[in-house]
Amino acid sequence: MEQSKVGRYKFMAEPFHVDCNGELPMNVLSNCMLNAADFHSDARGFGITFLRENKCTWVLSRLAVEMNRMPYQYESFEIETWCEKIYRFFTDRNYNVYDGQGKIIGHARSVWAMIDIDTRKPLDLLSVQSGRLVDYVDPDLECPMEKPSHIKLHEGKLVKEYTSQYSDIDINGHVNSVKYMQHILDIFPMEKYKAQRIKRFEIAYVSECYYGNTLSFYKEEPEENISDIEVKCNDTVACRSRVVFENK
Amino acid sequence: MEQSKVGRYKFMAEPFHVDCNGELPMNVLSNCMLNAADFHSDARGFGITFLRENKCTWVLSRLAVEMNRMPYQYESFEIETWCEKIYRFFTDRNYNVYDGQGKIIGHARSVWAMIDIDTRKPLDLLSVQSGRLVDYVDPDLECPMEKPSHIKLHEGKLVKEYTSQYSDIDINGHVNSVKYMQHILDIFPMEKYKAQRIKRFEIAYVSECYYGNTLSFYKEEPEENISDIEVKCNDTVACRSRVVFENK
């Protein structure tokens, strides 16, 4: 069955997933986007079935999300996803988020690579499956938000240390990509989430951390309402994030 | 539309939810059960619509889960749920878990109360909605596992302290019931989960904790492979849990 270039998937803001405001937190919404990416690529022959047979895996490199509002407890929402561009080693995948009434409430942009599980080397996406990935690229669909930025800290201050536990570790033995987001969001006090909302969230993954590693979180504020965070493990950068708040 | 007494709901073991073994952790599976309970009661007129209109809420008092195996990454599974009994202030709700092939892989039993949001007092379940809850009770459907036990620690040892953060807090300002489970599971090292599996998990909620509260986790092992855990906050018991492991 031929698949369209765009996939659209339904989700619900589960009661035990929402935050103190009754809204989906950014890490849970991002997890839904990663699931949508998974469903979309699997239906087009580049998902878990293909990956298992070819001993490779998709790796999320960057994610930037911009939301006008977050889905509220019990609200149904939909995520639309498509590939905007394929480079040799990376693909740009975009997302639109629709509320229960079909109104767009946000967007996201992500960058992915496909790596060989054994060598951890990236595969040439233009030649995987005889280049069939390119057939699904839709360069014209609009995703009206800035691309992921290059986050660079100058004098970050150590604000938190955290040692990874059982619940942080994924099937590959690494700290789960979504868990980094949660630990970053937990740097900010609940009072801040009561008074402000996250307008834009970005994360860029640099290197993997493992069970029992101590993660150090450094933070600086280049501008009012913008926090840049660098997570380090044994002096190596694991990921960087930018969180942009705005008053409610 | 008349509803049957039993509800059955489909879930999938999401890739960013599975643990180091590629299996759904007990807290995530329990979350699915709580969602199934929600869907079941809402379809029968005792869910979120009713609760909102009547300013009351279901409160989970106890949960006991027994699994032969956990759903594996990407596996579809189904949860069947029904009410076994209604008492004045509590209801016994049971669950069967089916794997993708329709084979039962586990069971659970839970105890719930319905409380008034303002007074926090329990409602008389036999008179709520003119006693209509009783119409949905199925006392005959089998749930072949022991009821939740009364966990009592004698000389628990302090094994962990944790201060609740943004991601722990639910819409009511309390530490989320599912998050307690995660923090309890995180007491055990990853190596234990590699060598053993959880055969039975129990939790009983006693009192609520809030943002910024420091939770103290006390543990004792009444028998080999059985860990009893008591979570306290300011010397008051928040919840108690029993985790029963077995070798793989």
Side-chain angles (χ1 to χ4, degrees):
Chain A
M1 195 181 77
E2 195 157 318
Q3 292 282 342
S4 65
K5 293 179 177 177
V6 184
R8 191 160 162 164
Y9 308 94
K10 218 169 184 154
F11 298 89
M12 193 258 274
E14 299 181 15
F16 291 93
H17 283 176
V18 299
D19 69 5
C20 56
N21 298 309
E23 293 170 354
L24 218 57
M26 197 51 91
N27 56 319
V28 181
L29 178 68
S30 301
N31 193 352
C32 295
M33 289 178 184
L34 305 189
N35 285 340
D38 216 356
F39 301 148
H40 177 266
S41 61
D42 198 39
R44 283 151 191 82
F46 298 94
I48 186 64
T49 316
F50 168 81
L51 299 170
R52 276 185 185 148
E53 280 167 7
N54 293 274
K55 289 198 162 186
C56 52
T57 185
W58 285 109
V59 176
L60 177 63
S61 169
R62 289 166 184 278
L63 176 71
V65 184
E66 273 190 20
M67 296 299 293
N68 299 325
R69 72 168 185 90
M70 297 301 266
Y72 195 75
Q73 180 175 253
Y74 289 110
E75 188 178 355
S76 289
F77 60 99
E78 295 188 40
I79 298 177
E80 189 173 68
T81 182
W82 71 98
C83 291
E84 186 188 358
K85 200 161 176 178
I86 310 267
Y87 304 86
R88 199 169 154 207
F89 295 130
F90 292 101
T91 170
D92 289 343
R93 173 184 282 282
N94 299 343
Y95 312 79
N96 289 325
V97 185
Y98 295 84
D99 69 8
Q101 278 68 51
K103 191 183 153 199
I104 289 188
I105 55 170
H107 308 279
R109 290 179 174 273
S110 62
V111 180
W112 297 76
M114 191 186 277
I115 64 163
D116 180 291
I117 281 180
D118 297 323
T119 65
R120 314 298 293 172
K121 292 239 168 78
L123 301 183
D124 181 346
L125 295 174
L126 297 169
S127 68
V128 161
Q129 290 248 63
S130 319
R132 282 213 304 113
L133 258 177
V134 179
D135 298 349
Y136 296 112
V137 169
D138 190 335
D140 301 322
L141 202 56
E142 251 192 277
C143 187
M145 64 173 278
E146 292 276 318
K147 292 205 169 191
S149 43
H150 283 271
I151 305 155
K152 193 173 163 56
L153 275 79
H154 301 275
E155 38 186 32
K157 195 182 142 199
L158 181 66
V159 289
K160 152 166 155 176
E161 289 201 303
Y162 173 81
T163 302
S164 71
Q165 302 178 78
Y166 163 68
S167 66
D168 292 304
I169 306 302
D170 69 14
I171 189 173
N172 300 310
H174 302 134
V175 172
N176 179 321
S177 305
V178 176
K179 280 286 178 168
Y180 285 107
M181 301 182 199
Q182 183 201 305
H183 297 309
I184 288 165
L185 297 175
D186 274 338
I187 288 176
F188 304 97
M190 193 174 75
E191 293 72 30
K192 192 171 176 76
Y193 290 101
K194 288 277 182 190
Q196 296 196 301
R197 56 181 296 282
I198 298 176
K199 194 176 142 189
R200 183 177 165 103
F201 175 83
E202 289 190 50
I203 189 161
Y205 298 95
V206 182
S207 65
E208 303 284 9
C209 295
Y210 301 87
Y211 176 73
N213 282 173
T214 296
L215 311 181
S216 304
F217 295 73
Y218 296 86
K219 188 177 94 160
E220 72 179 44
E221 296 183 19
E223 283 177 48
E224 204 190 336
N225 289 329
I226 299 183
S227 293
D228 285 347
I229 291 133
E230 188 164 73
V231 183
K232 282 185 170 180
C233 172
N234 301 327
D235 290 327
T236 302
V237 175
C239 62
R240 295 188 185 96
S241 175
R242 169 167 285 190
V243 190
V244 184
F245 283 89
E246 66 176 6
N247 293 336
K248 282 185 181 171
Chain B
M1 193 180 79
E2 195 157 318
Q3 291 283 342
S4 66
K5 292 179 177 177
V6 184
R8 191 161 162 163
Y9 308 94
K10 218 169 185 156
F11 298 89
M12 193 258 274
E14 298 181 15
F16 291 94
H17 284 176
V18 299
D19 69 5
C20 56
N21 298 310
E23 293 170 355
L24 217 57
M26 197 51 92
N27 55 318
V28 181
L29 179 68
S30 301
N31 194 351
C32 295
M33 289 177 184
L34 304 189
N35 285 339
D38 217 354
F39 301 148
H40 178 266
S41 61
D42 198 39
R44 283 151 191 82
F46 298 94
I48 186 65
T49 316
F50 169 81
L51 300 170
R52 276 185 185 149
E53 282 167 7
N54 293 274
K55 288 197 165 190
C56 52
T57 185
W58 284 109
V59 175
L60 178 63
S61 169
R62 290 167 184 277
L63 176 71
V65 185
E66 272 190 20
M67 297 298 294
N68 299 324
R69 73 168 185 88
M70 296 303 264
Y72 195 76
Q73 181 175 251
Y74 289 110
E75 187 178 355
S76 289
F77 60 99
E78 295 188 40
I79 297 177
E80 190 172 67
T81 183
W82 71 100
C83 290
E84 186 188 356
K85 200 162 176 177
I86 310 266
Y87 304 86
R88 198 167 155 210
F89 293 129
F90 291 101
T91 170
D92 289 341
R93 173 184 282 283
N94 299 344
Y95 311 80
N96 290 324
V97 186
Y98 295 83
D99 69 8
Q101 278 69 51
K103 192 183 152 198
I104 289 189
I105 55 170
H107 308 279
R109 290 179 174 274
S110 61
V111 179
W112 297 76
M114 191 186 277
I115 64 163
D116 181 292
I117 282 181
D118 297 322
T119 65
R120 312 300 292 173
K121 291 237 167 81
L123 300 183
D124 181 346
L125 296 174
L126 297 169
S127 68
V128 162
Q129 289 248 61
S130 320
R132 281 212 305 112
L133 258 177
V134 179
D135 298 349
Y136 295 112
V137 170
D138 190 333
D140 301 323
L141 201 57
E142 251 193 278
C143 187
M145 64 173 278
E146 293 275 321
K147 292 207 168 189
S149 43
H150 283 271
I151 305 156
K152 192 173 160 59
L153 274 78
H154 301 275
E155 38 186 31
K157 196 182 141 201
L158 181 66
V159 290
K160 151 166 154 178
E161 290 201 305
Y162 173 80
T163 301
S164 70
Q165 301 177 80
Y166 163 68
S167 67
D168 292 304
I169 306 303
D170 68 14
I171 189 173
N172 300 311
H174 302 133
V175 172
N176 179 321
S177 305
V178 176
K179 279 286 179 168
Y180 285 107
M181 302 180 197
Q182 183 201 307
H183 296 309
I184 288 165
L185 297 175
D186 274 338
I187 288 175
F188 304 98
M190 193 174 74
E191 294 72 31
K192 191 169 176 79
Y193 290 100
K194 289 278 182 189
Q196 296 195 301
R197 55 181 296 285
I198 298 176
K199 194 176 142 187
R200 184 176 165 103
F201 175 83
E202 288 189 50
I203 189 160
Y205 298 95
V206 182
S207 66
E208 303 284 9
C209 296
Y210 301 87
Y211 176 73
N213 282 173
T214 296
L215 311 181
S216 303
F217 294 74
Y218 295 86
K219 189 178 93 159
E220 74 179 43
E221 296 183 19
E223 282 178 48
E224 204 189 337
N225 289 328
I226 298 183
S227 293
D228 286 347
I229 291 134
E230 190 164 73
V231 183
K232 282 186 170 180
C233 172
N234 301 328
D235 291 327
T236 303
V237 175
C239 63
R240 295 188 183 94
S241 174
R242 169 166 284 191
V243 190
V244 185
F245 282 90
E246 67 177 4
N247 293 337
K248 281 186 181 172

